[in-house]
Amino acid sequence: MHVTDSELTPVFSRTTSGSSVARDRLGAEEILPDTAYQIVHDEALLDGNARLNLATFVTTWMDDHADRLYAETVDKNMIDKDEYPSTAAVENHCWRILADLWHAPSVPDAIGTSTTGSSEACMLGGLAFKRRWQQRRRAEGKPTDKPNLVMSSAVQVCWEKFCNYFEVEPRFVPMTETHKIFDGHDLEKYVDENTIGVVAIMGVTYTGMYEPVREIAAALDAIQRKTGLDIPIHVDGASGAMVAPFLQPDLEWDFRLERVHSINTSGHKYGGVYPGLGWIVWRERQWLPDDLVLDVSYLGGHMPTFALNFSRPGAQVLLQYYLFLRLGYAGYTEMQQSSQDVAVHLSSAIAAMGPFELWSDGTDIPVFAWMLKEGDTQNWSLYDLSDRLRMHGWLVPAYPMPVHLTHITVQRVVVRKDLSMDLADKFLADLATEVAYLEALKSPMPDMGRRAGFHH
């Protein structure tokens, strides 16, 4: 006899639990909320442990007060500034704090906005470059059909998306073993009258290294003196723009350099906030073209908007303000320094293990990468080591370096605030165990040549 499910039926005895529920179409009937919850909860059981994910830059832990604030404000729509004027004011507080942190010459004369992440922020920065270039070319009676953007071959994929979506030619300056980062070398070979701007990265995704923005700016200064070309810089500070002000305060990479027109960062990376949140700030309002800012009538109010997304969460903006208030300069310094201490501890220990050679050591942002010493082993690869670490729950990606260096495979660790020194030592113990296992192999691993599914 069929028994109707109810709250009294044990959750794993309900009819939807005894057979596979519909995954790709709506079910014919409702099911109990705690049953639906359990099904979705169980779907996520086989996901990796976020705390042990050493691949991601994204925040995986916030304190209890932040969690409570998140739950209280999850229903706020950031775009609805007429209904949520206090949240809108908080957004302005946050980007002004960043403008001040990044040494804008006049915070009242700067302009900024929150975004859903650095990818959107980068696209806004690129669009501002393209629009200003087009306006200038039209005023000079010149064509505007062949814009290009110059950047490192190690840029995050969002810049490739920008160039693809908005019809800009990407010009990649290759990384080499001589030039591990884009440092302005041979820049004159890549720029011309159609160059809308140059991207400099504070914290390369592959390795965690800073590109020397001051040197890139100096190279562009020399080019301007020689050719008259005045080319601006956008700093992709997705990670480093929330690290350098605290750990390398004397490093000149921000609005102290006049050629830097705009900077972006990810609030959900070293800003310490749950995803997704990004920020972009322009040094002065003149560098954000007026025709990119739309005045929108929405739910009874008028508001300027220059984001790609319309409706988006307001909770993360409030979380960012919470951290700015709670931590202040000293708190952020302590948080980032603790992460860097763990990164340097890990990189030093890994360099001492024998088969590894560091590509970077975590002294820029708390991120470092290593490779196998040439000729050290023929029986295993870093992909095998990545697989072995997964058995302990650790997610540590192995991947090839960008074009011109694709023959080099590296592994990378991202240290976030929730990776304590104690947990780091547990990782080192597991790493040493698996290295010893692989080093003892008498013949090659059977899956040599297989590549991990990690993409930037």
Side-chain angles (χ1 to χ4, degrees):
M1 181 178 67
H2 174 72
V3 179
T4 302
D5 288 333
S6 74
E7 287 86 348
L8 299 178
T9 309
V11 65
F12 292 110
S13 298
R14 295 173 186 169
T15 54
T16 52
S17 302
S19 60
S20 179
V21 298
R23 292 293 190 268
D24 300 317
R25 57 180 173 81
L26 284 175
E29 303 292 340
E30 299 178 31
I31 62 175
L32 294 169
D34 50 345
T35 307
Y37 164 81
Q38 191 65 50
I39 291 170
V40 177
H41 174 83
D42 290 351
E43 287 276 358
L45 278 177
L46 294 179
D47 277 346
N49 185 326
R51 291 280 305 281
L52 303 184
N53 183 359
L54 304 187
T56 185
F57 285 80
V58 174
T59 297
T60 51
W61 179 88
M62 293 190 76
D63 65 33
D64 290 342
H65 292 88
D67 287 345
R68 187 166 78 242
L69 184 62
Y70 198 2
E72 292 168 352
T73 59
V74 71
D75 57 345
K76 292 184 184 291
N77 183 0
M78 191 65 245
I79 197 63
D80 192 359
K81 298 180 181 181
D82 188 62
E83 290 294 321
Y84 307 120
S86 293
T87 301
V90 164
E91 179 187 29
N92 289 334
H93 295 329
C94 288
W95 70 251
R96 287 176 182 137
I97 288 170
L98 291 172
D100 179 69
L101 186 67
W102 297 335
H103 298 96
S106 170
V107 172
D109 292 331
I111 188 69
T113 186
S114 66
T115 62
T116 54
S118 271
S119 293
E120 182 188 0
C122 288
M123 292 194 188
L124 291 174
L127 280 171
F129 275 174
K130 182 180 179 183
R131 189 61 57 88
R132 283 192 57 82
W133 174 82
Q134 288 174 322
Q135 292 171 348
R136 186 178 69 252
R137 296 281 288 180
R138 290 191 186 105
E140 295 171 350
K142 296 178 180 179
T144 61
D145 59 331
K146 294 182 178 179
N148 68 71
L149 183 68
V150 176
M151 55 199 141
S152 163
S153 62
V155 288
Q156 214 272 351
V157 70
C158 69
W159 287 106
E160 298 179 53
K161 286 184 177 181
F162 165 77
C163 291
N164 184 359
Y165 297 167
F166 296 103
E167 298 182 320
V168 173
E169 175 198 351
R171 293 188 176 177
F172 296 113
V173 180
M175 291 175 63
T176 66
E177 293 186 58
T178 303
H179 296 279
K180 289 186 173 183
I181 50 175
F182 172 37
D183 56 12
H185 69 281
D186 295 333
L187 189 52
E188 67 278 2
K189 297 179 181 178
Y190 296 89
V191 301
D192 57 29
E193 65 177 359
N194 293 318
T195 300
I196 63 174
V198 170
V199 176
I201 310 171
M202 286 295 288
V204 174
T205 307
Y206 286 85
T207 64
M209 299 171 72
Y210 291 149
E211 293 180 347
V213 184
R214 184 178 179 84
E215 292 179 25
I216 295 169
L220 289 170
D221 289 344
I223 289 170
Q224 183 175 8
R225 288 192 294 270
K226 183 177 181 180
T227 67
L229 296 175
D230 185 8
I231 299 170
I233 292 173
H234 174 87
V235 175
D236 183 350
S239 299
M242 286 304 296
V243 174
F246 307 106
L247 298 191
Q248 300 95 7
D250 295 328
L251 182 66
E252 294 187 4
W253 62 273
D254 53 14
F255 294 132
R256 284 170 287 187
L257 302 172
E258 189 173 353
R259 198 169 290 276
V260 174
H261 283 195
S262 50
I263 301 170
N264 72 274
T265 197
S266 290
H268 62 232
K269 292 181 181 175
Y270 287 103
V273 176
Y274 290 132
L277 178 66
W279 298 96
I280 182 168
V281 178
W282 283 266
R283 172 192 176 90
E284 298 164 333
R285 290 173 183 264
Q286 64 172 316
W287 303 132
L288 175 64
D290 290 338
D291 56 2
L292 284 180
V293 183
L294 303 179
D295 186 70
V296 179
S297 177
Y298 183 63
L299 294 181
H302 286 268
M303 68 208 71
T305 175
F306 50 102
L308 295 179
N309 287 297
F310 201 66
S311 293
R312 54 191 173 86
Q316 283 86 345
V317 171
L318 295 169
L319 289 177
Q320 185 75 85
Y321 192 48
Y322 163 75
L323 282 184
F324 284 166
L325 292 175
R326 180 185 179 280
L327 295 178
Y329 190 90
Y332 265 103
T333 300
E334 182 180 359
M335 183 175 76
Q336 313 301 32
Q337 187 63 62
S338 295
S339 295
Q340 189 177 76
D341 290 345
V342 172
V344 172
H345 171 67
L346 285 172
S347 67
S348 300
I350 289 171
M353 280 188 177
F356 304 124
E357 179 180 342
L358 293 180
W359 184 276
S360 54
D361 62 5
T363 54
D364 287 342
I365 62 173
V367 175
F368 65 95
W370 69 90
M371 53 191 175
L372 282 174
K373 291 179 180 176
E374 188 172 355
D376 188 83
T377 178
Q378 300 299 317
N379 290 335
W380 59 280
S381 71
L382 293 181
Y383 297 103
D384 298 311
L385 179 56
S386 181
D387 284 345
R388 299 290 303 180
L389 289 170
R390 279 179 180 267
M391 294 191 296
H392 298 271
W394 300 105
L395 303 179
V396 186
Y399 51 87
M401 294 290 276
V403 63
H404 295 283
L405 288 174
T406 53
H407 61 286
I408 296 175
T409 297
V410 297
Q411 273 188 291
R412 186 198 68 199
V413 161
V414 179
V415 177
R416 304 179 304 279
K417 61 183 177 182
D418 55 348
L419 184 67
S420 65
M421 194 68 79
D422 181 65
L423 198 56
D425 283 336
K426 294 181 188 301
F427 167 71
L428 286 174
D430 290 338
L431 179 65
T433 296
E434 296 310 323
V435 169
Y437 170 85
L438 292 168
E439 288 282 77
L441 292 173
K442 302 301 182 184
S443 60
M445 289 286 284
D447 58 351
M448 290 287 281
R450 180 178 55 79
R451 292 296 178 260
F454 178 79
H455 301 282
H456 285 275

